[in-house]
Amino acid sequence: MKNRIAKRISAVLALCLIICAALSITVFAEDGAVANTDNAKNSEGVFDFEGATLGSVTAANAGNNLYVTGTSANVAFEIVEDDAQGKVFQWTKTGSTYVNADSCRFVKNGTSSEVNTAIVTFKMNISELNNNPVRIMMGSGETRTFYFDIYRNGSTVTIGGHDVTELINEEDNGWFEIQMIYYHGDVAPTASNKDTTTNFSVTVFVNGTYVGNRVDHSFLYRTHKAININAFMIGAVNATKGTVLFDDIKIEHKKVTTPEILSANISYESDIYLYYAVPKNTITTGETPKLVGEDANGTFEVTSYSEATVYGVDCYIFKTRGVPAKELATEETVRIVAGDAMSEPMTYSVQQYLYEKLYDEGYALESLEDNANLGVNDGKDTTRGKLYFKLLEYGALAQELLADNPAKIIGATPYVSINGTTADVSDEVEAGATYTLEAATVEGKTIASYVVVTSDAFGYSVESAPAAIGDTVTVNAFTLVYPVYAE
């Protein structure tokens, strides 16, 4: 927190402050003053601008790893003094012409090679943008790695398409903090794997609250390792006109261990709830974990959890929002966050859980009669199989009656589970897909043949038929294939 210097204000200005209590006071340098930015960065490597002098910043006088380019009649950079934050960096776009070179960047030099995460944290205050965006970027040298566009329309502020207005506190005089986390995963990005979405992501928090995550190519260039991310950049976009203040710009690099999500489950209440189990031993940062996510209804954050043992592993258990029957097929994407560490995303739905139980675990067969080789054999396995099918049917009817133009129709796409082959399958597939049953090698057992179980989406026509090794299965319905072992 910066030292705040008490200022003597005239009676007229004091009256103005009473009327406009939410406004922040900004003091400008005298006309023609040129800033000295040699000490704009403090001893901890943070651009807090307290050591700079007030005035304009140009390519000629920028210093201490602060760079500006293309200053013209369309844009101006200045060091000004703000009543709330002290000295800050002001970006002003005055002209309506788009000049790509009108930008500035703040650079951190030096880092460890043992990092997989780059983090940029800064504060900003948007006094005016006329509903045009300012572009914030993280990059390597002068080359951007990704960007987000920030808009303001009246009191509404959006970042990368996410409305963050409610996250900005009125008592902070318009200032709010943004944190951008670039994670390149445990596999270093190269030109050949830059299109992979598994190990690369950018996540944004506003005032400590999860806003969203990006992996799409139009915003993210994945050939940069985290170690190469050393610059925070501000640029003009289109006909942007407005003023934005920046302060406390910090660039960090860390080696983080990725948390994991071990399993998912649901509970049956007035709504159906999704649960996620997170092994405690994957949380190594010492920070309290939380679950962040997004679905068709927006983003959400879960900070409370219970604890339980799952598959013999001590876990944190996170419970997400209630899912009404009409939304059983609505997918949510969740991640576990612990300090600067973040898990890989997991996209899941209640429908996926139910079909996994029915076909991956074989309860589609249990819905007909007890099967000693499946389930927990507590006398309720047949009831479980019927419940899973009935829930799906109930959801489909509720969706048909109550949901307008749902993104995904419950039970519309066949679920296929093929086991005991060299290429097992466990997923939704399009009707007409074909699979050849090539026997896998199973230690201590010999596969003699297979059983192919098919059904409709809701379990009304469950049928089974034998299949030989080498046969081809064509998917025309929901399908379960399991091996029969030689005696």
Side-chain angles (χ1 to χ4, degrees), residues 192-211:
S192 62
N193 73 0
K194 66 180 180 179
D195 292 339
T196 302
T197 59
T198 302
N199 290 310
F200 308 90
S201 65
V202 177
T203 308
V204 173
F205 293 83
V206 172
N207 284 340
T209 299
Y210 171 76
V211 170

PDB file of all heavy atoms in Angstrom, residues 192-211:
ATOM      1  N   SER A 192       5.343 -26.622 -32.789  1.00  0.00           N
ATOM      2  CA  SER A 192       4.594 -27.812 -33.204  1.00  0.00           C
ATOM      3  C   SER A 192       3.409 -28.116 -32.300  1.00  0.00           C
ATOM      4  O   SER A 192       2.465 -28.779 -32.715  1.00  0.00           O
ATOM      5  CB  SER A 192       5.520 -29.028 -33.235  1.00  0.00           C
ATOM      6  OG  SER A 192       6.040 -29.286 -31.939  1.00  0.00           O
ATOM      7  N   ASN A 193       3.425 -27.652 -31.048  1.00  0.00           N
ATOM      8  CA  ASN A 193       2.296 -27.966 -30.161  1.00  0.00           C
ATOM      9  C   ASN A 193       1.578 -26.724 -29.652  1.00  0.00           C
ATOM     10  O   ASN A 193       0.822 -26.788 -28.704  1.00  0.00           O
ATOM     11  CB  ASN A 193       2.750 -28.822 -28.978  1.00  0.00           C
ATOM     12  CG  ASN A 193       3.566 -28.041 -27.956  1.00  0.00           C
ATOM     13  OD1 ASN A 193       3.822 -26.846 -28.100  1.00  0.00           O
ATOM     14  ND2 ASN A 193       3.984 -28.715 -26.908  1.00  0.00           N
ATOM     15  N   LYS A 194       1.771 -25.581 -30.300  1.00  0.00           N
ATOM     16  CA  LYS A 194       1.166 -24.346 -29.812  1.00  0.00           C
ATOM     17  C   LYS A 194      -0.360 -24.366 -29.914  1.00  0.00           C
ATOM     18  O   LYS A 194      -1.025 -23.572 -29.247  1.00  0.00           O
ATOM     19  CB  LYS A 194       1.708 -23.142 -30.574  1.00  0.00           C
ATOM     20  CG  LYS A 194       1.318 -23.104 -32.050  1.00  0.00           C
ATOM     21  CD  LYS A 194       1.896 -21.879 -32.735  1.00  0.00           C
ATOM     22  CE  LYS A 194       1.502 -21.836 -34.211  1.00  0.00           C
ATOM     23  NZ  LYS A 194       2.044 -20.656 -34.874  1.00  0.00           N
ATOM     24  N   ASP A 195      -0.922 -25.242 -30.738  1.00  0.00           N
ATOM     25  CA  ASP A 195      -2.365 -25.292 -30.875  1.00  0.00           C
ATOM     26  C   ASP A 195      -3.036 -26.157 -29.808  1.00  0.00           C
ATOM     27  O   ASP A 195      -4.253 -26.275 -29.769  1.00  0.00           O
ATOM     28  CB  ASP A 195      -2.753 -25.829 -32.260  1.00  0.00           C
ATOM     29  CG  ASP A 195      -2.376 -24.863 -33.365  1.00  0.00           C
ATOM     30  OD1 ASP A 195      -2.203 -23.679 -33.051  1.00  0.00           O
ATOM     31  OD2 ASP A 195      -2.248 -25.292 -34.513  1.00  0.00           O
ATOM     32  N   THR A 196      -2.247 -26.783 -28.968  1.00  0.00           N
ATOM     33  CA  THR A 196      -2.805 -27.618 -27.910  1.00  0.00           C
ATOM     34  C   THR A 196      -3.497 -26.751 -26.878  1.00  0.00           C
ATOM     35  O   THR A 196      -2.973 -25.735 -26.447  1.00  0.00           O
ATOM     36  CB  THR A 196      -1.685 -28.426 -27.227  1.00  0.00           C
ATOM     37  OG1 THR A 196      -1.024 -29.200 -28.211  1.00  0.00           O
ATOM     38  CG2 THR A 196      -2.250 -29.326 -26.153  1.00  0.00           C
ATOM     39  N   THR A 197      -4.693 -27.140 -26.457  1.00  0.00           N
ATOM     40  CA  THR A 197      -5.404 -26.376 -25.431  1.00  0.00           C
ATOM     41  C   THR A 197      -5.318 -27.032 -24.061  1.00  0.00           C
ATOM     42  O   THR A 197      -5.889 -26.540 -23.112  1.00  0.00           O
ATOM     43  CB  THR A 197      -6.883 -26.227 -25.811  1.00  0.00           C
ATOM     44  OG1 THR A 197      -7.464 -27.533 -25.952  1.00  0.00           O
ATOM     45  CG2 THR A 197      -7.049 -25.464 -27.104  1.00  0.00           C
ATOM     46  N   THR A 198      -4.587 -28.142 -23.957  1.00  0.00           N
ATOM     47  CA  THR A 198      -4.529 -28.863 -22.688  1.00  0.00           C
ATOM     48  C   THR A 198      -3.624 -28.165 -21.673  1.00  0.00           C
ATOM     49  O   THR A 198      -3.962 -28.034 -20.516  1.00  0.00           O
ATOM     50  CB  THR A 198      -4.018 -30.298 -22.912  1.00  0.00           C
ATOM     51  OG1 THR A 198      -4.889 -30.942 -23.825  1.00  0.00           O
ATOM     52  CG2 THR A 198      -3.985 -31.058 -21.603  1.00  0.00           C
ATOM     53  N   ASN A 199      -2.483 -27.699 -22.115  1.00  0.00           N
ATOM     54  CA  ASN A 199      -1.473 -27.229 -21.169  1.00  0.00           C
ATOM     55  C   ASN A 199      -1.293 -25.712 -21.132  1.00  0.00           C
ATOM     56  O   ASN A 199      -0.424 -25.226 -20.426  1.00  0.00           O
ATOM     57  CB  ASN A 199      -0.113 -27.851 -21.505  1.00  0.00           C
ATOM     58  CG  ASN A 199      -0.091 -29.329 -21.199  1.00  0.00           C
ATOM     59  OD1 ASN A 199      -0.472 -29.729 -20.118  1.00  0.00           O
ATOM     60  ND2 ASN A 199       0.314 -30.130 -22.151  1.00  0.00           N
ATOM     61  N   PHE A 200      -2.088 -24.957 -21.876  1.00  0.00           N
ATOM     62  CA  PHE A 200      -1.859 -23.522 -21.965  1.00  0.00           C
ATOM     63  C   PHE A 200      -3.144 -22.762 -21.665  1.00  0.00           C
ATOM     64  O   PHE A 200      -4.199 -23.117 -22.174  1.00  0.00           O
ATOM     65  CB  PHE A 200      -1.361 -23.147 -23.360  1.00  0.00           C
ATOM     66  CG  PHE A 200      -0.182 -23.963 -23.796  1.00  0.00           C
ATOM     67  CD1 PHE A 200      -0.352 -25.147 -24.472  1.00  0.00           C
ATOM     68  CD2 PHE A 200       1.101 -23.552 -23.496  1.00  0.00           C
ATOM     69  CE1 PHE A 200       0.728 -25.916 -24.859  1.00  0.00           C
ATOM     70  CE2 PHE A 200       2.195 -24.304 -23.877  1.00  0.00           C
ATOM     71  CZ  PHE A 200       2.013 -25.488 -24.558  1.00  0.00           C
ATOM     72  N   SER A 201      -3.038 -21.724 -20.873  1.00  0.00           N
ATOM     73  CA  SER A 201      -4.226 -20.941 -20.576  1.00  0.00           C
ATOM     74  C   SER A 201      -3.844 -19.593 -19.999  1.00  0.00           C
ATOM     75  O   SER A 201      -2.735 -19.398 -19.494  1.00  0.00           O
ATOM     76  CB  SER A 201      -5.131 -21.675 -19.578  1.00  0.00           C
ATOM     77  OG  SER A 201      -4.477 -21.802 -18.322  1.00  0.00           O
ATOM     78  N   VAL A 202      -4.768 -18.651 -20.083  1.00  0.00           N
ATOM     79  CA  VAL A 202      -4.648 -17.353 -19.428  1.00  0.00           C
ATOM     80  C   VAL A 202      -5.906 -17.164 -18.592  1.00  0.00           C
ATOM     81  O   VAL A 202      -7.013 -17.325 -19.083  1.00  0.00           O
ATOM     82  CB  VAL A 202      -4.525 -16.205 -20.446  1.00  0.00           C
ATOM     83  CG1 VAL A 202      -4.476 -14.868 -19.722  1.00  0.00           C
ATOM     84  CG2 VAL A 202      -3.280 -16.373 -21.292  1.00  0.00           C
ATOM     85  N   THR A 203      -5.729 -16.839 -17.329  1.00  0.00           N
ATOM     86  CA  THR A 203      -6.841 -16.668 -16.411  1.00  0.00           C
ATOM     87  C   THR A 203      -6.819 -15.256 -15.845  1.00  0.00           C
ATOM     88  O   THR A 203      -5.757 -14.723 -15.556  1.00  0.00           O
ATOM     89  CB  THR A 203      -6.755 -17.683 -15.258  1.00  0.00           C
ATOM     90  OG1 THR A 203      -6.606 -18.989 -15.820  1.00  0.00           O
ATOM     91  CG2 THR A 203      -8.001 -17.656 -14.400  1.00  0.00           C
ATOM     92  N   VAL A 204      -8.003 -14.666 -15.696  1.00  0.00           N
ATOM     93  CA  VAL A 204      -8.100 -13.288 -15.224  1.00  0.00           C
ATOM     94  C   VAL A 204      -8.928 -13.230 -13.939  1.00  0.00           C
ATOM     95  O   VAL A 204      -9.992 -13.851 -13.840  1.00  0.00           O
ATOM     96  CB  VAL A 204      -8.733 -12.383 -16.298  1.00  0.00           C
ATOM     97  CG1 VAL A 204      -8.993 -10.981 -15.758  1.00  0.00           C
ATOM     98  CG2 VAL A 204      -7.821 -12.290 -17.510  1.00  0.00           C
ATOM     99  N   PHE A 205      -8.405 -12.465 -12.971  1.00  0.00           N
ATOM    100  CA  PHE A 205      -9.108 -12.181 -11.727  1.00  0.00           C
ATOM    101  C   PHE A 205      -9.263 -10.672 -11.601  1.00  0.00           C
ATOM    102  O   PHE A 205      -8.357  -9.912 -11.957  1.00  0.00           O
ATOM    103  CB  PHE A 205      -8.327 -12.710 -10.525  1.00  0.00           C
ATOM    104  CG  PHE A 205      -8.232 -14.209 -10.449  1.00  0.00           C
ATOM    105  CD1 PHE A 205      -7.275 -14.896 -11.176  1.00  0.00           C
ATOM    106  CD2 PHE A 205      -9.100 -14.926  -9.653  1.00  0.00           C
ATOM    107  CE1 PHE A 205      -7.177 -16.277 -11.115  1.00  0.00           C
ATOM    108  CE2 PHE A 205      -9.012 -16.314  -9.582  1.00  0.00           C
ATOM    109  CZ  PHE A 205      -8.050 -16.989 -10.319  1.00  0.00           C
ATOM    110  N   VAL A 206     -10.395 -10.214 -11.083  1.00  0.00           N
ATOM    111  CA  VAL A 206     -10.615  -8.800 -10.778  1.00  0.00           C
ATOM    112  C   VAL A 206     -10.906  -8.683  -9.286  1.00  0.00           C
ATOM    113  O   VAL A 206     -11.832  -9.318  -8.774  1.00  0.00           O
ATOM    114  CB  VAL A 206     -11.778  -8.212 -11.600  1.00  0.00           C
ATOM    115  CG1 VAL A 206     -12.124  -6.799 -11.121  1.00  0.00           C
ATOM    116  CG2 VAL A 206     -11.417  -8.188 -13.076  1.00  0.00           C
ATOM    117  N   ASN A 207     -10.076  -7.908  -8.610  1.00  0.00           N
ATOM    118  CA  ASN A 207     -10.179  -7.773  -7.152  1.00  0.00           C
ATOM    119  C   ASN A 207     -10.257  -9.134  -6.466  1.00  0.00           C
ATOM    120  O   ASN A 207     -11.025  -9.347  -5.522  1.00  0.00           O
ATOM    121  CB  ASN A 207     -11.384  -6.910  -6.766  1.00  0.00           C
ATOM    122  CG  ASN A 207     -11.126  -5.430  -6.995  1.00  0.00           C
ATOM    123  OD1 ASN A 207      -9.978  -4.988  -7.083  1.00  0.00           O
ATOM    124  ND2 ASN A 207     -12.184  -4.645  -7.102  1.00  0.00           N
ATOM    125  N   GLY A 208      -9.461 -10.081  -6.974  1.00  0.00           N
ATOM    126  CA  GLY A 208      -9.356 -11.395  -6.362  1.00  0.00           C
ATOM    127  C   GLY A 208     -10.432 -12.385  -6.750  1.00  0.00           C
ATOM    128  O   GLY A 208     -10.405 -13.530  -6.307  1.00  0.00           O
ATOM    129  N   THR A 209     -11.380 -11.979  -7.605  1.00  0.00           N
ATOM    130  CA  THR A 209     -12.480 -12.860  -8.011  1.00  0.00           C
ATOM    131  C   THR A 209     -12.265 -13.350  -9.436  1.00  0.00           C
ATOM    132  O   THR A 209     -11.962 -12.557 -10.330  1.00  0.00           O
ATOM    133  CB  THR A 209     -13.825 -12.129  -7.922  1.00  0.00           C
ATOM    134  OG1 THR A 209     -14.050 -11.737  -6.557  1.00  0.00           O
ATOM    135  CG2 THR A 209     -14.978 -13.026  -8.364  1.00  0.00           C
ATOM    136  N   TYR A 210     -12.447 -14.636  -9.638  1.00  0.00           N
ATOM    137  CA  TYR A 210     -12.268 -15.248 -10.954  1.00  0.00           C
ATOM    138  C   TYR A 210     -13.247 -14.645 -11.959  1.00  0.00           C
ATOM    139  O   TYR A 210     -14.443 -14.532 -11.699  1.00  0.00           O
ATOM    140  CB  TYR A 210     -12.494 -16.752 -10.851  1.00  0.00           C
ATOM    141  CG  TYR A 210     -12.546 -17.487 -12.166  1.00  0.00           C
ATOM    142  CD1 TYR A 210     -11.384 -17.747 -12.878  1.00  0.00           C
ATOM    143  CD2 TYR A 210     -13.759 -17.945 -12.688  1.00  0.00           C
ATOM    144  CE1 TYR A 210     -11.423 -18.439 -14.082  1.00  0.00           C
ATOM    145  CE2 TYR A 210     -13.808 -18.638 -13.884  1.00  0.00           C
ATOM    146  CZ  TYR A 210     -12.640 -18.882 -14.577  1.00  0.00           C
ATOM    147  OH  TYR A 210     -12.686 -19.566 -15.763  1.00  0.00           O
ATOM    148  N   VAL A 211     -12.721 -14.244 -13.129  1.00  0.00           N
ATOM    149  CA  VAL A 211     -13.546 -13.655 -14.181  1.00  0.00           C
ATOM    150  C   VAL A 211     -13.675 -14.600 -15.367  1.00  0.00           C
ATOM    151  O   VAL A 211     -14.759 -14.821 -15.890  1.00  0.00           O
ATOM    152  CB  VAL A 211     -12.963 -12.299 -14.650  1.00  0.00           C
ATOM    153  CG1 VAL A 211     -13.682 -11.801 -15.902  1.00  0.00           C
ATOM    154  CG2 VAL A 211     -13.068 -11.274 -13.541  1.00  0.00           C
TER     155      VAL A 211
END
